[in-house]
Amino acid sequence: DQQVKQNSPSLSVQEGRISILNCDYTNSMFDYFLWYKKYPAEGPTFLISISSIKDKNEDGRFTVFLNKSAKHLSLHIVPSQPGDSAVYFCAASGPGTSYGKLTFGQGTILTVHP
Amino acid sequence: DADVTQTPRNRITKTGKRIMLECSQTKGHDRMYWYRQDPGLGLRLIYYSFDVKDINKGEISDGYSVSRQAQAKFSLSLESAIPNQTALYFCATSDTGRTGRLRYTFGSGTRLTVV
């Protein structure tokens, strides 16, 4: 039972264009969402997060949007750069004793072409 | 030095062998985790520990055990390795920081192959 799903295994984008990575979740108890970026032979690194009390969070070229009614979040990267090519994971955490445990999606491989 | 160090980085072992993956951290975080990554499945939680005396099973703990030897050390053992435990294993730590927001730090991973 995959509680966090990234239905696109891969995404290919031209340099300078927008990359949009999507993530859906089923557990309505999740209240904190994160995006991680992973390069080969490295561990995931934190990119951006959003609390369920917000619907948008920006950090430079990265913006995360949260639609709670649809249980959907998306990561926008504008403009995309070749160095953004990596695997992107969305993750979710719940409150209380669940806080700190992350449930991850399957990942989306982003390729940004020069 | 890395904040979260995993050893070994790569390991090939035979079916039935016992193997230990080690993790140490210099972050000073109480919370530590072991995840495994499989293609198409993302990262799945094996075990987690919120302090030295606290050990909890994650979603896929069967066939694994852990030991929290100290705040800084959290080891994962495969008592009798089987081929479907071939995966990339990540150790991680977390705290909430000054902002109160959850912050994770991952190690670089251990690639384990069971033949």
Side-chain angles (χ1 to χ4, degrees), chain A residues 10-88:
Chain A
S10 63
L11 176 67
S12 183
V13 171
Q14 205 69 31
E15 181 179 7
R17 301 283 192 130
I18 184 171
S19 295
I20 300 176
L21 296 96
N22 294 301
C23 181
D24 297 294
Y25 62 96
T26 57
N27 188 341
S28 57
M29 295 300 292
F30 288 146
D31 64 357
Y32 191 66
F33 304 89
L34 309 91
W35 284 94
Y36 283 84
K37 176 179 176 179
K38 184 184 176 305
Y39 293 117
E42 295 182 11
T45 55
F46 172 76
L47 201 53
I48 193 169
S49 64
I50 188 166
S51 165
S52 61
I53 61 173
K54 294 187 174 182
D55 55 17
K56 177 182 174 182
N57 188 29
E58 282 184 87
D59 185 0
R61 295 186 297 115
F62 303 91
T63 303
V64 56
F65 295 92
L66 175 63
N67 182 332
K68 289 187 292 292
S69 60
K71 294 190 178 68
H72 177 83
L73 61 155
S74 61
L75 174 68
H76 293 210
I77 307 174
V78 184
S80 301
Q81 299 173 354
D84 295 329
S85 297
V87 181
Y88 288 77

Side-chain angles (χ1 to χ4, degrees), chain B residues 6-8 11 18-24 32-37 44-48 55-56 58 60-69 73-79 85 87-91 110 112:
Chain B
Q6 292 183 234
T7 56
R11 180 73 181 266
R18 184 179 189 276
I19 183 168
M20 179 181 288
L21 309 183
E22 303 201 33
C23 177
S24 63
M32 297 188 74
Y33 310 81
W34 275 103
Y35 286 86
R36 66 177 274 179
Q37 182 191 356
R44 292 180 293 165
L45 182 61
I46 306 172
Y47 268 96
Y48 63 102
I55 302 287
N56 302 281
I60 53 163
S61 59
D62 287 349
Y64 301 96
S65 63
V66 291
S67 173
R68 185 81 185 266
Q69 301 95 323
K73 295 184 181 295
F74 192 36
S75 302
L76 176 72
S77 294
L78 287 68
E79 297 301 326
Q85 291 177 312
L88 188 53
Y89 289 83
F90 288 102
C91 175
T110 294
L112 177 66

